[in-house]
Structures are given as C-alpha cells and as structure tokens.
Amino acid sequence: MKKHVLKLMLACTLIISAAACSSDDDNSFVNNDLSEIISMAQSGSWKISSYVDSGNDETNHFTGYNFTFGSGGVLTATNGDATYTGTWSVTNDDDSNDDNPSGDVDFNIAFTSPADFADLTDDWHIVQVTATTISLIDVSGGNGGTDTLVFVKNN
C-alpha cells in the first residue's frame, strides 16, 4: 500500500511540475494589443539590424536606411538622397490554422521597389515587440524557407 501511495505522490508531483513548466511563452512579444504594437512602431525611427532570407544574411542591403512607421500606414525608408515609400499595418488575421507564433497578429510590410525593399513585402509574424526591438519571422509557403527581420530603434 505504501508503494502505491508513493507512486501516486510521484505521479502527482510530475504532473504538477509539468504543468508549472508548461508555458504560453510562444507569445513572447509585449502583448497582442494591436494599438500598443502600432504605438511602439510609430514611436521613432528604426533601422534593420538583421534580415535573413532563407538562411542568407542580406542585412547589408538596408545599411544606412532609417525606417519610419508613420500614421495612415505610410512606411518610409530614407538614406541620404534615397527615399522609398511603402505601407505597413498591424492586423489580426484570425486564421487559427496558420503557424503564426504570435497568435493571429501580423506585422504587414509592403514596398513595390527597389527589389531589395520589395523582398521585405510580407505579412510577418511577430516574435517580439518592445520599446527598442521589433522581431519578425515568416515561413514561406512556396519553398518552406524561413525569413527573419529585426528592426532596432534609433537612438
């Protein structure tokens, strides 16, 4: 009888430990409040600290550019004389069947040109949004490659 009680106590301890270790930290961004994410993005200018396209580091294509997530969905990238305008938004796509690590909140970016900037065009899944970092990921439906994009706030 004592053996059964010990086994039962051990099983209960393991179940409680597993439940305590289980986490919803897949949603590691600040929260999924769209207005808070939008407010953080609009709080200053940003630069791309990392852009990896299917394993290829292409960050250098955006060196020296400052990105501003403006009101009305206007996204501006400037570097000295060059200025490119695109659009941006934060949306709740409500697609429970996708592999979005942030739930159903997407950070959408669209540029039509130049080609390097058009590569940023996607409905990125939010990994993390803080006052100083916007980390995004996209798993391509076509080739299955994973792209990552990280913006850091300019000082």
Side-chain angles (χ1 to χ4, degrees):
M1 177 76 166
K2 198 174 191 180
K3 247 184 184 178
H4 292 289
V5 171
L6 286 174
K7 285 182 182 179
L8 181 59
M9 287 176 59
L10 179 60
C12 288
T13 301
L14 290 174
I15 291 170
I16 291 170
S17 295
C21 292
S22 175
S23 172
D24 290 333
D25 287 343
D26 291 341
N27 297 337
S28 62
F29 60 96
V30 173
N31 66 42
N32 62 358
D33 181 327
L34 274 61
S35 62
E36 185 173 337
I37 296 168
I38 291 167
S39 177
M40 283 190 201
Q42 291 179 318
S43 68
S45 68
W46 303 78
K47 64 182 175 185
I48 293 178
S49 66
S50 176
Y51 173 60
V52 178
D53 183 2
S54 297
N56 299 315
D57 187 346
E58 298 182 12
T59 308
N60 64 319
H61 297 193
F62 308 100
T63 301
Y65 282 93
N66 292 308
F67 292 80
T68 304
F69 299 98
S71 61
V74 176
L75 173 55
T76 306
T78 57
N79 180 4
D81 296 337
T83 299
Y84 301 106
T85 303
T87 60
W88 76 285
S89 64
V90 178
T91 58
N92 186 340
D93 69 8
D94 288 329
D95 182 359
S96 60
N97 295 322
D98 69 8
D99 60 353
N100 188 342
S102 65
D104 292 322
V105 180
D106 287 335
F107 198 100
N108 308 292
I109 296 174
F111 281 99
T112 56
S113 65
D116 289 339
F117 283 77
D119 286 345
L120 300 177
T121 298
D122 218 324
D123 58 338
W124 296 90
H125 304 305
I126 298 172
V127 174
Q128 180 182 46
V129 176
T130 69
T132 58
T133 305
I134 300 171
S135 297
L136 309 169
I137 191 168
D138 181 64
V139 177
S140 172
N143 64 8
T146 299
D147 301 341
T148 58
L149 176 61
V150 180
F151 289 93
V152 294
K153 192 169 186 180
N154 289 318
N155 294 330

